[in-house]
């Protein structure tokens, strides 16, 4: 079965540079979520989109922005990168309202290293 | 802020033993999901429990949702080295799109 696709899998950037992470949800899924996971931590929710509109916002820095496009893929744009932004970034997708709850399926993640 | 307390945080046992991981909250969840995560990879959804008192089985793994939908447990029977990994519980409040995550249980099964 098709899974969530994320690209790139690994990314190395320098401080103050920008980065764009891409997420392709499972076909027919209409909701996308972005998470940041530091070493030894549980995933921290950043932001989500439902039907191309922002649906919820978590601990996303102002330097980050995201959007969901007409084909439901999503991009997380990160500017003025800081050393502390080094982490695994996960995208998850779900089909809204399935049985009254949303099962989130995670992608393999993008490992961002800021030097 | 709603919290989901997961315990134990770390567990190392011998192959063939049984174990139970717990997730507890003071608040009610509309559903609760269990994930398994390998280092450097994304969490993989194992199961979603929705109904109070619900029990779901996945081979040697048994998942239970508390009657009041505030707590859940994962029981592994006759653990195998292949069960080694990080197990995470995550609760859905139902009012927004965020999941409330437990801190995770790092499980090591020694051959």
């Amino acid at each position: 079965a098709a899974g969530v696709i994320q690209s790139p899998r690994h990314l190395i950037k320098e401080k103050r540079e920008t980065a764009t992470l891409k997420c392709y949800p499972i076909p027919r899924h209409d909701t996308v979520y972005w998470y940041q996971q530091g070493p030894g931590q549980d995933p921290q929710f950043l932001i989500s989109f439902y039907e191309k509109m922002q649906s919820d916002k978590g601990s996303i820095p102002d330097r980050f922005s995201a959007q969901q496009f007409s084909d439901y893929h999503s991009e997380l744009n990160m500017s003025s990168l800081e050393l502390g932004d080094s982490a695994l970034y996960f995208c998850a997708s779900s089909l809204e309202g399935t049985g009254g709850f949303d099962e989130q399926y995670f992608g393999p993640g993008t490992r961002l290293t800021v030097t | 802020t709603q919290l989901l307390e997961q315990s134990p945080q770390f567990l190392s046992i011998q192959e063939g033993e049984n174990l139970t991981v717990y997730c507890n909250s003071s608040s009610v969840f509309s559903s609760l999901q269990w994930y398994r995560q390998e280092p450097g990879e994304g969490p993989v959804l194992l199961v979603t429990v929705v109904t109070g008192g619900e029990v779901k089985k996945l081979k040697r793994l048994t998942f239970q949702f508390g009657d009041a939908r505030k707590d859940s447990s994962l029981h592994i029977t006759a653990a195998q080295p292949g069960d080694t990994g990080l197990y995470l519980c995550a609760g859905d409040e139902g009012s927004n799109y965020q999941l409330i995550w437990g801190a995770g249980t790092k499980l090591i099964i020694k051959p």
Side-chain angles (χ1 to χ4, degrees):
Chain A
V4 177
I5 298 172
Q6 289 187 246
S7 68
R9 292 295 312 276
H10 302 273
L11 190 58
I12 300 174
K13 291 285 186 178
E14 295 185 355
K15 284 192 303 183
R16 293 180 288 278
E17 285 191 324
T18 61
T20 297
L21 278 54
K22 297 184 178 182
C23 169
Y24 298 85
I26 291 173
R28 292 184 290 110
H29 279 195
D30 50 20
T31 307
V32 168
Y33 314 78
W34 285 97
Y35 291 86
Q36 178 191 61
Q37 187 176 32
Q41 298 180 356
D42 56 278
Q44 297 296 308
F45 173 75
L46 294 178
I47 196 168
S48 64
F49 293 87
Y50 167 65
E51 284 291 346
K52 291 151 281 184
M53 298 288 289
Q54 181 181 310
S55 54
D56 203 357
K57 193 173 182 179
S59 53
I60 185 170
D62 292 339
R63 299 177 289 108
F64 295 4
S65 65
Q67 58 181 324
Q68 186 179 32
F69 295 85
S70 58
D71 63 352
Y72 292 97
H73 94 273
S74 179
E75 294 183 4
L76 177 65
N77 299 294
M78 312 161 71
S79 63
S80 302
L81 287 169
E82 302 174 356
L83 295 178
D85 296 329
S86 296
L88 273 168
Y89 290 84
F90 292 108
C91 170
S93 73
S94 70
L95 181 60
E96 168 69 10
T98 305
F101 57 90
D102 301 330
E103 292 183 323
Q104 296 187 22
Y105 293 85
F106 282 74
T110 294
R111 180 176 292 281
L112 173 66
T113 302
V114 181
T115 62
Chain B
T1 303
Q2 187 170 166
L3 295 176
L4 192 53
E5 296 182 353
Q6 186 171 347
S7 62
Q9 290 190 0
F10 179 80
L11 187 58
S12 178
I13 62 173
Q14 291 294 137
E15 179 179 2
E17 293 184 1
N18 303 330
L19 66 108
T20 303
V21 178
Y22 300 93
C23 277
N24 297 292
S25 175
S26 59
S27 301
V28 176
F29 293 107
S30 60
S31 68
L32 192 140
Q33 301 170 23
W34 284 92
Y35 291 85
R36 177 179 162 178
Q37 186 177 22
E38 300 292 336
E41 298 293 329
V44 175
L45 180 64
L46 297 175
V47 78
T48 300
V49 286
V50 180
T51 306
E54 181 177 10
V55 177
K56 284 191 173 180
K57 292 190 175 183
L58 189 65
K59 296 182 180 179
R60 293 174 293 99
L61 278 60
T62 301
F63 304 85
Q64 186 164 8
F65 204 14
D67 291 342
R69 289 185 289 134
K70 295 181 179 181
D71 54 86
S72 182
S73 64
L74 158 61
H75 182 78
I76 300 180
T77 303
Q80 303 294 312
D83 297 327
T84 294
L86 178 67
Y87 290 81
L88 294 156
C89 60
D92 181 358
E93 295 179 279
S95 60
N96 57 36
Y97 289 78
Q98 297 189 39
L99 290 176
I100 307 299
W101 290 85
T105 296
K106 186 172 183 180
L107 177 62
I108 295 177
I109 310 300
K110 295 176 285 187

